[in-house]
Amino acid sequence: MYHFTPDPNQPKPELYRELAGSAAALVAGEPDPVANMANLAALIRQFVPRLNWAGFYRVVQDELVLGPFQGATACIRIPFGQGVCGTAAASGETLLVPDVHAFPGHIACDAASASELVVPVKRGGVVIAVIDLDSPDLARFDAEDARGIELLAAAISSAI
Ligand code: SME
């Protein structure tokens, strides 16, 4: 199995380049999307510090449906345009939310979550899923985290 020991002092751009490379290696040659998303959620949770939830919501018809994740049980279906995930999926843009309680329509799945980063995963320009990261710390995520998870999303979009 793939083993990785992240260095907590590594600069973020380096950490995320390594994460994207590890993610690509992890899914290489494996066609099963559920297995790949499950391993990727575990990899993200291991790589990225200060998270209480990391995982996927998949686009199924006209809504988001919970995919593999690491963390507390979560809401299963999120309509497009609702919550942080549905808003990011509808716009196709990454959403950085420093304080989830200040985000209108935020869907609280885990009461521990204080800030959130949602990155759409696109294939052929179409949103097929989102990667959702929650942190118990306010303003946990910045532009470097966003760029890093976007790099990961691009690296795995053909494997989920
Ligand atoms: N907070 C998200 C819902 C998903 S959970 O955070 C796992 C939202 O507002 O879309």
Side-chain angles (χ1 to χ4, degrees), residues 53 57 74-75 78 82-86 103 105-110 113 116 118 132 134:
W53 203 94
Y57 277 91
C75 22
I78 301 178
Q82 288 190 22
V84 185
C85 292
F103 186 90
H106 164 252
I107 299 165
C109 293
D110 183 344
S113 300
E116 187 161 357
V118 179
D132 181 20
D134 286 26

Side-chain angles (χ1 to χ4, degrees), residues 52-131:
N52 59 303
W53 203 94
F56 291 84
Y57 277 91
R58 300 158 299 125
V59 175
V60 179
Q61 291 165 358
D62 56 352
E63 62 183 349
L64 293 174
V65 181
L66 184 64
F69 67 93
Q70 297 254 318
T73 56
C75 22
I76 296 173
R77 292 176 188 271
I78 301 178
F80 260 63
Q82 288 190 22
V84 185
C85 292
T87 303
S91 69
E93 302 290 336
T94 294
L95 255 184
L96 262 174
V97 180
D99 178 359
V100 294
H101 302 294
F103 186 90
H106 164 252
I107 299 165
C109 293
D110 183 344
S113 300
S115 59
E116 187 161 357
L117 169 62
V118 179
V119 173
V121 182
K122 297 178 190 172
R123 197 188 297 149
V126 175
V127 178
I128 56 164
V130 299
I131 298 173

Side-chain angles (χ1 to χ4, degrees), residues 4-18:
F4 176 75
T5 353
D7 169 3
N9 301 314
Q10 209 172 3
K12 279 187 192 179
E14 233 176 72
L15 175 97
Y16 282 112
R17 265 197 304 279
E18 208 171 323

